């Protein structure tokens, strides 16, 4: 349960739209030109804390510390949090596989109609 909860909590911090307001103050938008000359906008961290909020591996370590440590110190409270996040984490993983499968089926259907 802790692994699934940590996965979902990390994803919430780093990727989800609902927590964008937490990341935005530590990010800045810059124009970046690639080797072929194409320019695009990219959000880059402005501080080490910004890197923490933007780096999946970094946030994963801290979410594991928060959830694991919280469970050791306050098991009754954190068990509920871990339970909810672990259900959401498992659901997200399943949805990823189902979503990929559904997209593949639709892509194959387009070729079958020709």
């Amino acid at each position: 349960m802790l692994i699934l909860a940590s996965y979902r909590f990390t994803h919430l911090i780093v990727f989800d739209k609902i927590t964008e307001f937490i990341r935005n103050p530590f990010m800045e938008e810059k124009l970046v030109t690639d080797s072929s000359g194409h320019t695009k906008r990219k959000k880059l961290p402005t501080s080490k804390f910004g890197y923490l909020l933007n780096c999946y591996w970094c946030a994963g370590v801290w979410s594991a510390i928060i959830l694991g440590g919280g469970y050791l110190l306050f098991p009754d409270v954190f068990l509920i949090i871990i339970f909810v996040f672990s259900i959401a984490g498992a659901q997200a993983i399943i949805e990823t596989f189902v979503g990929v499968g559904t997209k593949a089926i639709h892509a194959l259907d387009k070729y079958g109609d020709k």
Side-chain angles (χ1 to χ4, degrees):
M1 281 180 47
L2 272 169
I3 293 167
L4 289 171
S6 181
Y7 162 76
R8 186 63 192 102
F9 186 51
T10 301
H11 199 279
L12 179 71
I13 293 167
V14 177
F15 297 114
D16 287 357
K17 186 86 170 160
I18 196 167
T19 54
E20 199 171 64
F21 75 96
I22 297 170
R23 293 186 303 273
N24 279 343
F26 305 99
M27 305 294 283
E28 66 182 352
E29 224 175 75
K30 287 191 175 183
L31 292 176
V32 179
T33 305
D34 62 16
S35 59
S36 61
H38 294 100
T39 303
K40 62 181 177 179
R41 293 186 185 274
K42 188 173 183 179
K43 284 190 174 185
L44 299 171
T46 58
S47 65
K48 290 183 183 196
F49 191 69
Y51 278 103
L52 170 69
L53 294 174
N54 196 45
C55 169
Y56 190 78
W57 304 109
C58 303
V61 169
W62 288 104
S63 72
I65 290 170
I66 290 167
L67 292 174
Y71 179 70
L72 291 174
L73 296 173
F74 309 103
D76 293 338
V77 173
F78 272 80
L79 184 59
I80 296 166
I81 295 167
I82 290 166
F83 185 68
V84 170
F85 274 122
S86 66
I87 292 170
Q91 182 275 332
I93 292 168
I94 292 168
E95 179 58 35
T96 299
F97 286 111
V98 170
V100 168
T102 303
K103 288 177 185 174
I105 290 168
H106 289 299
L108 293 172
D109 282 345
K110 287 180 185 177
Y111 290 112
D113 292 338
K114 293 182 180 180

